[in-house]
Amino acid sequence: MKAMEKTQRILKDAGTLLRHNKKLLIGLIGFLTVLSISLSVYPLSIPFPPVLGQDKAKLPPSSEHPLGTDNFGRDLLTVFLYAIQLSLYIGVIAGTVGTSIGILIGFVSGYKGGYVDDVLRSFVDVFMVIPLVPILAIIMVVVKSVPLHVMALILGAFSWPGAARTIRSQILSLKEREFIDLARISGLNQFEILFKEILPNMLPYLSIVFVGSVVGAMFAEVGLEVIGLGPQAVGTLGYLFHWAILNVAVLKGWWWWVVPPTAALVSTFASLYIITVGLDEFANPRLKRITGQ
Amino acid sequence: MLPVRYITRRLLSYILTIFVSATLIFVLPRVAAGNPIENILIRMELQGTSISGGKEMIDAWVQRFGLDKDLWTQYTLWLGNLFRGDFGLSMIWFPASVQDILKNALPWTIGFSIMVILLGWVIGNIFGALVGWRGEHSRFNWVFASVSIVINHIPFYVLGLLLIMVFTFYLQIFPSSGGTNYMITYQGISPALIVDILYHATLPALSVILVSIGGYLITMRSLMVNIKGEDFVRYAQARGLKKGRIMMNYAFRNALLPQVTGLALSLGSIASGSMIVEWIFSYPGIGSLYVKAIGQNDYNVVQAITLLVIFGVMTGALLIDLLYPILDPRISYEKR
């Protein structure tokens, strides 16, 4: 009974939040739309859209195949919807890895301060400016084909600098607050202070940082796959572009090869971005005046 | 007075970053899959590569990279070669050296990058300032903001594909590949050549510029809206200064400073993206070479270009950062 009341209260709070925070609402609706469209195909596509044969390859759109077929002779609509799922899957794993590393570095750097902070901050600055795709490409060139989750881990290992920087600056301001002093006086150790006092107060920032890492990782993912690096056996959104380029689709006017993945990418990225703006406003209400409508 | 401490600090971090990147490029592939050169050599032997003098080439490599010695020796050998700008021979464009291949492509990339980066930044900031200054509540503003959010989230190369479809396939007004018309051979630099270069660069440049305009517009807009509420702007208004002057001299100049930092930070992602754009448009720069080399396992070329891009991005960021104290007289950098 108590649990039900609690869920009800959380739902009600979430409702109020979304009513007052239009951006968060719009972003969530956009993202959930993309997600549910991509999931609509899932039950049909295990393990992967069947190859219909070379005579059925590169067909134009028809009632049977709304987006035609790809160069392997697979229904492109199914491949496309499946690709959204795969790309999101990579993005979420990489984002989780990236955020965790970012939290760790940001926490240590902000909370310890001094010498440790100096070293970690220069480390973060170095990784902030290094162009990501060439560095990742040089790993992928050597490894060649990697499984999906390995690709995600590699991307995650490089998508933390933004997270680390944001978290560090939040910690810097939080650790000066009185309730942290109180916690210290009451004998909590550093670990407890970080996880019980600071972390819960940073939830909106953590979500912003998480969404940011997901977007960053997906951007890098698409970039690598476009040039033919990454998990080759499966088709992610980046691979759809790769195949489109290799088959010169745009010069033949095959819009159905290019426009759907573009739309999927843009709506995913834009809705995630709007979510972060909404979260930012929630964490820092003064921003509302600055960002306007 | 020159902020000496700031400059020393910045130079040190520049050297550190390049050193870290170079080390990463040595270490990462080896962590991922043992020795890259060895891997490629094994692959070549398995495929029975028929390059003339293949055996000698392999021997030369083993010696050059110290493959028969320990990792530390390999690393110092590698750093030494790097320092001399010696990247060895290309594996697919054999027997050309990597240096020779890059020499022809580099001017194209440098010219193209500087043009698109500056144009995107300037146009984006001007539009952002105008939109932000008009106020946050006009309908115009809302439309601008939404359009830029959408455009800013298209990867350059994806926009490039769409542009090719529209302007080359449907409208047939712009070429989709090359740096100049390959049918014409130009003698020296002539106006016709420059026009041809610009004509061929239009679509690839647009793919980068349009996207980056969106990004700078979004941030500039909110900076302007924010500054508009500051006391010094109110004071200028109360003094009865002309609107245009307040906007340019008071608001815009102040809002531009964080955008200069933003430019330095965005160089990396612009470089990554425009390399792929080059490839899509078969532009004769190092980006196209890069993707081709990746496709054919030319590890020496891939490695050299990676380093070169990192070096270029870091140097660009360094130059921008060194300009910053000149632009912002408030900052002495002595107290950092």
Side-chain angles (χ1 to χ4, degrees), chain B residues 13-38:
Chain B
S13 90
Y14 170 73
I15 296 166
L16 177 76
T17 314
I18 290 187
F19 179 72
V20 169
S21 318
T23 309
L24 274 180
I25 289 171
F26 178 84
V27 172
L28 287 177
R30 284 167 179 78
V31 172
N35 197 319
I37 310 286
E38 226 161 40

PDB file of all heavy atoms in Angstrom, chain B residues 13-38:
ATOM      1  N   SER B  13      50.797  23.180 -22.093  1.00  0.00           N
ATOM      2  CA  SER B  13      49.677  22.264 -22.264  1.00  0.00           C
ATOM      3  C   SER B  13      49.549  21.845 -23.728  1.00  0.00           C
ATOM      4  O   SER B  13      49.124  20.731 -24.035  1.00  0.00           O
ATOM      5  CB  SER B  13      48.371  22.878 -21.754  1.00  0.00           C
ATOM      6  OG  SER B  13      47.710  23.577 -22.755  1.00  0.00           O
ATOM      7  N   TYR B  14      49.989  22.722 -24.639  1.00  0.00           N
ATOM      8  CA  TYR B  14      49.989  22.387 -26.065  1.00  0.00           C
ATOM      9  C   TYR B  14      50.937  21.223 -26.338  1.00  0.00           C
ATOM     10  O   TYR B  14      50.575  20.227 -26.952  1.00  0.00           O
ATOM     11  CB  TYR B  14      50.407  23.630 -26.846  1.00  0.00           C
ATOM     12  CG  TYR B  14      50.687  23.455 -28.313  1.00  0.00           C
ATOM     13  CD1 TYR B  14      49.651  23.256 -29.220  1.00  0.00           C
ATOM     14  CD2 TYR B  14      51.988  23.508 -28.798  1.00  0.00           C
ATOM     15  CE1 TYR B  14      49.903  23.123 -30.568  1.00  0.00           C
ATOM     16  CE2 TYR B  14      52.251  23.381 -30.149  1.00  0.00           C
ATOM     17  CZ  TYR B  14      51.212  23.182 -31.034  1.00  0.00           C
ATOM     18  OH  TYR B  14      51.472  23.062 -32.362  1.00  0.00           O
ATOM     19  N   ILE B  15      52.145  21.360 -25.797  1.00  0.00           N
ATOM     20  CA  ILE B  15      53.132  20.302 -26.004  1.00  0.00           C
ATOM     21  C   ILE B  15      52.670  19.008 -25.347  1.00  0.00           C
ATOM     22  O   ILE B  15      52.744  17.928 -25.931  1.00  0.00           O
ATOM     23  CB  ILE B  15      54.509  20.742 -25.460  1.00  0.00           C
ATOM     24  CG1 ILE B  15      55.001  21.940 -26.273  1.00  0.00           C
ATOM     25  CG2 ILE B  15      55.507  19.608 -25.504  1.00  0.00           C
ATOM     26  CD1 ILE B  15      56.161  22.675 -25.645  1.00  0.00           C
ATOM     27  N   LEU B  16      52.111  19.149 -24.140  1.00  0.00           N
ATOM     28  CA  LEU B  16      51.632  17.968 -23.416  1.00  0.00           C
ATOM     29  C   LEU B  16      50.554  17.244 -24.222  1.00  0.00           C
ATOM     30  O   LEU B  16      50.585  16.018 -24.371  1.00  0.00           O
ATOM     31  CB  LEU B  16      51.077  18.393 -22.056  1.00  0.00           C
ATOM     32  CG  LEU B  16      50.476  17.268 -21.233  1.00  0.00           C
ATOM     33  CD1 LEU B  16      51.575  16.422 -20.615  1.00  0.00           C
ATOM     34  CD2 LEU B  16      49.553  17.779 -20.150  1.00  0.00           C
ATOM     35  N   THR B  17      49.596  18.022 -24.763  1.00  0.00           N
ATOM     36  CA  THR B  17      48.495  17.411 -25.494  1.00  0.00           C
ATOM     37  C   THR B  17      49.004  16.647 -26.710  1.00  0.00           C
ATOM     38  O   THR B  17      48.576  15.522 -26.966  1.00  0.00           O
ATOM     39  CB  THR B  17      47.503  18.480 -25.967  1.00  0.00           C
ATOM     40  OG1 THR B  17      47.242  19.353 -24.900  1.00  0.00           O
ATOM     41  CG2 THR B  17      46.225  17.855 -26.434  1.00  0.00           C
ATOM     42  N   ILE B  18      49.914  17.261 -27.441  1.00  0.00           N
ATOM     43  CA  ILE B  18      50.420  16.592 -28.638  1.00  0.00           C
ATOM     44  C   ILE B  18      51.197  15.342 -28.261  1.00  0.00           C
ATOM     45  O   ILE B  18      51.052  14.287 -28.872  1.00  0.00           O
ATOM     46  CB  ILE B  18      51.280  17.564 -29.469  1.00  0.00           C
ATOM     47  CG1 ILE B  18      50.343  18.601 -30.082  1.00  0.00           C
ATOM     48  CG2 ILE B  18      52.070  16.829 -30.532  1.00  0.00           C
ATOM     49  CD1 ILE B  18      50.989  19.534 -31.043  1.00  0.00           C
ATOM     50  N   PHE B  19      51.960  15.432 -27.175  1.00  0.00           N
ATOM     51  CA  PHE B  19      52.716  14.282 -26.716  1.00  0.00           C
ATOM     52  C   PHE B  19      51.773  13.147 -26.281  1.00  0.00           C
ATOM     53  O   PHE B  19      51.963  11.983 -26.647  1.00  0.00           O
ATOM     54  CB  PHE B  19      53.616  14.699 -25.556  1.00  0.00           C
ATOM     55  CG  PHE B  19      54.425  13.597 -24.993  1.00  0.00           C
ATOM     56  CD1 PHE B  19      55.496  13.076 -25.702  1.00  0.00           C
ATOM     57  CD2 PHE B  19      54.105  13.042 -23.763  1.00  0.00           C
ATOM     58  CE1 PHE B  19      56.239  12.031 -25.192  1.00  0.00           C
ATOM     59  CE2 PHE B  19      54.838  12.001 -23.250  1.00  0.00           C
ATOM     60  CZ  PHE B  19      55.909  11.497 -23.956  1.00  0.00           C
ATOM     61  N   VAL B  20      50.727  13.513 -25.521  1.00  0.00           N
ATOM     62  CA  VAL B  20      49.754  12.502 -25.082  1.00  0.00           C
ATOM     63  C   VAL B  20      49.081  11.857 -26.285  1.00  0.00           C
ATOM     64  O   VAL B  20      48.950  10.627 -26.360  1.00  0.00           O
ATOM     65  CB  VAL B  20      48.698  13.121 -24.145  1.00  0.00           C
ATOM     66  CG1 VAL B  20      47.557  12.149 -23.903  1.00  0.00           C
ATOM     67  CG2 VAL B  20      49.314  13.537 -22.828  1.00  0.00           C
ATOM     68  N   SER B  21      48.678  12.683 -27.266  1.00  0.00           N
ATOM     69  CA  SER B  21      48.019  12.121 -28.454  1.00  0.00           C
ATOM     70  C   SER B  21      48.944  11.169 -29.185  1.00  0.00           C
ATOM     71  O   SER B  21      48.537  10.076 -29.587  1.00  0.00           O
ATOM     72  CB  SER B  21      47.607  13.225 -29.416  1.00  0.00           C
ATOM     73  OG  SER B  21      47.074  14.310 -28.739  1.00  0.00           O
ATOM     74  N   ALA B  22      50.203  11.600 -29.357  1.00  0.00           N
ATOM     75  CA  ALA B  22      51.155  10.760 -30.068  1.00  0.00           C
ATOM     76  C   ALA B  22      51.326   9.431 -29.339  1.00  0.00           C
ATOM     77  O   ALA B  22      51.353   8.362 -29.953  1.00  0.00           O
ATOM     78  CB  ALA B  22      52.490  11.475 -30.200  1.00  0.00           C
ATOM     79  N   THR B  23      51.403   9.503 -28.007  1.00  0.00           N
ATOM     80  CA  THR B  23      51.560   8.278 -27.225  1.00  0.00           C
ATOM     81  C   THR B  23      50.325   7.392 -27.341  1.00  0.00           C
ATOM     82  O   THR B  23      50.431   6.173 -27.492  1.00  0.00           O
ATOM     83  CB  THR B  23      51.826   8.631 -25.751  1.00  0.00           C
ATOM     84  OG1 THR B  23      52.888   9.573 -25.709  1.00  0.00           O
ATOM     85  CG2 THR B  23      52.188   7.414 -24.953  1.00  0.00           C
ATOM     86  N   LEU B  24      49.136   8.037 -27.303  1.00  0.00           N
ATOM     87  CA  LEU B  24      47.889   7.274 -27.449  1.00  0.00           C
ATOM     88  C   LEU B  24      47.891   6.522 -28.778  1.00  0.00           C
ATOM     89  O   LEU B  24      47.498   5.357 -28.847  1.00  0.00           O
ATOM     90  CB  LEU B  24      46.693   8.216 -27.439  1.00  0.00           C
ATOM     91  CG  LEU B  24      46.106   8.620 -26.094  1.00  0.00           C
ATOM     92  CD1 LEU B  24      44.937   9.559 -26.299  1.00  0.00           C
ATOM     93  CD2 LEU B  24      45.649   7.379 -25.348  1.00  0.00           C
ATOM     94  N   ILE B  25      48.353   7.216 -29.820  1.00  0.00           N
ATOM     95  CA  ILE B  25      48.327   6.608 -31.143  1.00  0.00           C
ATOM     96  C   ILE B  25      49.314   5.444 -31.218  1.00  0.00           C
ATOM     97  O   ILE B  25      49.111   4.489 -31.950  1.00  0.00           O
ATOM     98  CB  ILE B  25      48.619   7.677 -32.210  1.00  0.00           C
ATOM     99  CG1 ILE B  25      47.423   8.606 -32.293  1.00  0.00           C
ATOM    100  CG2 ILE B  25      48.907   7.053 -33.567  1.00  0.00           C
ATOM    101  CD1 ILE B  25      47.657   9.809 -33.140  1.00  0.00           C
ATOM    102  N   PHE B  26      50.368   5.497 -30.419  1.00  0.00           N
ATOM    103  CA  PHE B  26      51.289   4.363 -30.368  1.00  0.00           C
ATOM    104  C   PHE B  26      50.700   3.234 -29.522  1.00  0.00           C
ATOM    105  O   PHE B  26      50.727   2.071 -29.916  1.00  0.00           O
ATOM    106  CB  PHE B  26      52.634   4.804 -29.776  1.00  0.00           C
ATOM    107  CG  PHE B  26      53.628   3.691 -29.647  1.00  0.00           C
ATOM    108  CD1 PHE B  26      54.408   3.333 -30.734  1.00  0.00           C
ATOM    109  CD2 PHE B  26      53.776   3.002 -28.452  1.00  0.00           C
ATOM    110  CE1 PHE B  26      55.323   2.304 -30.629  1.00  0.00           C
ATOM    111  CE2 PHE B  26      54.689   1.965 -28.343  1.00  0.00           C
ATOM    112  CZ  PHE B  26      55.464   1.623 -29.444  1.00  0.00           C
ATOM    113  N   VAL B  27      50.123   3.608 -28.374  1.00  0.00           N
ATOM    114  CA  VAL B  27      49.708   2.594 -27.396  1.00  0.00           C
ATOM    115  C   VAL B  27      48.388   1.912 -27.768  1.00  0.00           C
ATOM    116  O   VAL B  27      48.297   0.687 -27.755  1.00  0.00           O
ATOM    117  CB  VAL B  27      49.582   3.226 -25.990  1.00  0.00           C
ATOM    118  CG1 VAL B  27      48.966   2.241 -25.021  1.00  0.00           C
ATOM    119  CG2 VAL B  27      50.940   3.691 -25.493  1.00  0.00           C
ATOM    120  N   LEU B  28      47.365   2.732 -28.108  1.00  0.00           N
ATOM    121  CA  LEU B  28      46.024   2.174 -28.286  1.00  0.00           C
ATOM    122  C   LEU B  28      45.938   0.998 -29.268  1.00  0.00           C
ATOM    123  O   LEU B  28      45.405  -0.050 -28.905  1.00  0.00           O
ATOM    124  CB  LEU B  28      45.049   3.276 -28.693  1.00  0.00           C
ATOM    125  CG  LEU B  28      44.677   4.242 -27.569  1.00  0.00           C
ATOM    126  CD1 LEU B  28      43.771   5.342 -28.079  1.00  0.00           C
ATOM    127  CD2 LEU B  28      44.024   3.493 -26.427  1.00  0.00           C
ATOM    128  N   PRO B  29      46.486   1.152 -30.487  1.00  0.00           N
ATOM    129  CA  PRO B  29      46.387   0.026 -31.413  1.00  0.00           C
ATOM    130  C   PRO B  29      47.085  -1.217 -30.885  1.00  0.00           C
ATOM    131  O   PRO B  29      46.663  -2.327 -31.144  1.00  0.00           O
ATOM    132  CB  PRO B  29      47.085   0.535 -32.674  1.00  0.00           C
ATOM    133  CG  PRO B  29      47.047   2.006 -32.562  1.00  0.00           C
ATOM    134  CD  PRO B  29      47.144   2.301 -31.107  1.00  0.00           C
ATOM    135  N   ARG B  30      48.172  -1.006 -30.105  1.00  0.00           N
ATOM    136  CA  ARG B  30      48.897  -2.168 -29.584  1.00  0.00           C
ATOM    137  C   ARG B  30      48.132  -2.847 -28.466  1.00  0.00           C
ATOM    138  O   ARG B  30      48.167  -4.067 -28.329  1.00  0.00           O
ATOM    139  CB  ARG B  30      50.284  -1.745 -29.129  1.00  0.00           C
ATOM    140  CG  ARG B  30      51.201  -1.535 -30.311  1.00  0.00           C
ATOM    141  CD  ARG B  30      52.495  -0.830 -29.964  1.00  0.00           C
ATOM    142  NE  ARG B  30      53.330  -0.698 -31.146  1.00  0.00           N
ATOM    143  CZ  ARG B  30      53.143   0.199 -32.101  1.00  0.00           C
ATOM    144  NH1 ARG B  30      52.131   1.053 -32.006  1.00  0.00           N
ATOM    145  NH2 ARG B  30      53.919   0.245 -33.154  1.00  0.00           N
ATOM    146  N   VAL B  31      47.423  -2.052 -27.677  1.00  0.00           N
ATOM    147  CA  VAL B  31      46.564  -2.625 -26.644  1.00  0.00           C
ATOM    148  C   VAL B  31      45.438  -3.401 -27.318  1.00  0.00           C
ATOM    149  O   VAL B  31      45.068  -4.496 -26.906  1.00  0.00           O
ATOM    150  CB  VAL B  31      45.966  -1.517 -25.752  1.00  0.00           C
ATOM    151  CG1 VAL B  31      44.930  -2.103 -24.807  1.00  0.00           C
ATOM    152  CG2 VAL B  31      47.059  -0.815 -24.972  1.00  0.00           C
ATOM    153  N   ALA B  32      44.910  -2.819 -28.390  1.00  0.00           N
ATOM    154  CA  ALA B  32      43.740  -3.406 -29.033  1.00  0.00           C
ATOM    155  C   ALA B  32      44.080  -4.699 -29.760  1.00  0.00           C
ATOM    156  O   ALA B  32      43.311  -5.643 -29.737  1.00  0.00           O
ATOM    157  CB  ALA B  32      43.127  -2.403 -30.008  1.00  0.00           C
ATOM    158  N   ALA B  33      45.233  -4.746 -30.425  1.00  0.00           N
ATOM    159  CA  ALA B  33      45.486  -5.922 -31.265  1.00  0.00           C
ATOM    160  C   ALA B  33      46.956  -6.211 -31.461  1.00  0.00           C
ATOM    161  O   ALA B  33      47.386  -6.464 -32.576  1.00  0.00           O
ATOM    162  CB  ALA B  33      44.824  -5.724 -32.615  1.00  0.00           C
ATOM    163  N   GLY B  34      47.730  -6.160 -30.394  1.00  0.00           N
ATOM    164  CA  GLY B  34      49.140  -6.461 -30.569  1.00  0.00           C
ATOM    165  C   GLY B  34      49.805  -5.414 -31.432  1.00  0.00           C
ATOM    166  O   GLY B  34      49.421  -4.254 -31.402  1.00  0.00           O
ATOM    167  N   ASN B  35      50.759  -5.830 -32.235  1.00  0.00           N
ATOM    168  CA  ASN B  35      51.494  -4.860 -33.033  1.00  0.00           C
ATOM    169  C   ASN B  35      50.865  -4.650 -34.414  1.00  0.00           C
ATOM    170  O   ASN B  35      50.758  -5.577 -35.199  1.00  0.00           O
ATOM    171  CB  ASN B  35      52.932  -5.345 -33.204  1.00  0.00           C
ATOM    172  CG  ASN B  35      53.817  -4.215 -33.648  1.00  0.00           C
ATOM    173  OD1 ASN B  35      53.421  -3.419 -34.489  1.00  0.00           O
ATOM    174  ND2 ASN B  35      54.993  -4.133 -33.078  1.00  0.00           N
ATOM    175  N   PRO B  36      50.407  -3.411 -34.687  1.00  0.00           N
ATOM    176  CA  PRO B  36      49.713  -3.163 -35.944  1.00  0.00           C
ATOM    177  C   PRO B  36      50.560  -3.488 -37.173  1.00  0.00           C
ATOM    178  O   PRO B  36      50.071  -4.101 -38.120  1.00  0.00           O
ATOM    179  CB  PRO B  36      49.385  -1.673 -35.896  1.00  0.00           C
ATOM    180  CG  PRO B  36      50.299  -1.102 -34.878  1.00  0.00           C
ATOM    181  CD  PRO B  36      50.538  -2.192 -33.890  1.00  0.00           C
ATOM    182  N   ILE B  37      51.840  -3.073 -37.126  1.00  0.00           N
ATOM    183  CA  ILE B  37      52.680  -3.301 -38.304  1.00  0.00           C
ATOM    184  C   ILE B  37      52.853  -4.800 -38.542  1.00  0.00           C
ATOM    185  O   ILE B  37      52.708  -5.304 -39.646  1.00  0.00           O
ATOM    186  CB  ILE B  37      54.071  -2.647 -38.117  1.00  0.00           C
ATOM    187  CG1 ILE B  37      53.948  -1.197 -37.681  1.00  0.00           C
ATOM    188  CG2 ILE B  37      54.885  -2.766 -39.379  1.00  0.00           C
ATOM    189  CD1 ILE B  37      53.527  -0.248 -38.748  1.00  0.00           C
ATOM    190  N   GLU B  38      53.085  -5.511 -37.430  1.00  0.00           N
ATOM    191  CA  GLU B  38      53.265  -6.956 -37.520  1.00  0.00           C
ATOM    192  C   GLU B  38      52.013  -7.611 -38.107  1.00  0.00           C
ATOM    193  O   GLU B  38      52.094  -8.448 -38.993  1.00  0.00           O
ATOM    194  CB  GLU B  38      53.519  -7.515 -36.118  1.00  0.00           C
ATOM    195  CG  GLU B  38      54.654  -8.495 -36.046  1.00  0.00           C
ATOM    196  CD  GLU B  38      55.147  -8.635 -34.611  1.00  0.00           C
ATOM    197  OE1 GLU B  38      54.284  -8.647 -33.687  1.00  0.00           O
ATOM    198  OE2 GLU B  38      56.357  -8.700 -34.408  1.00  0.00           O
TER     199      GLU B  38
END
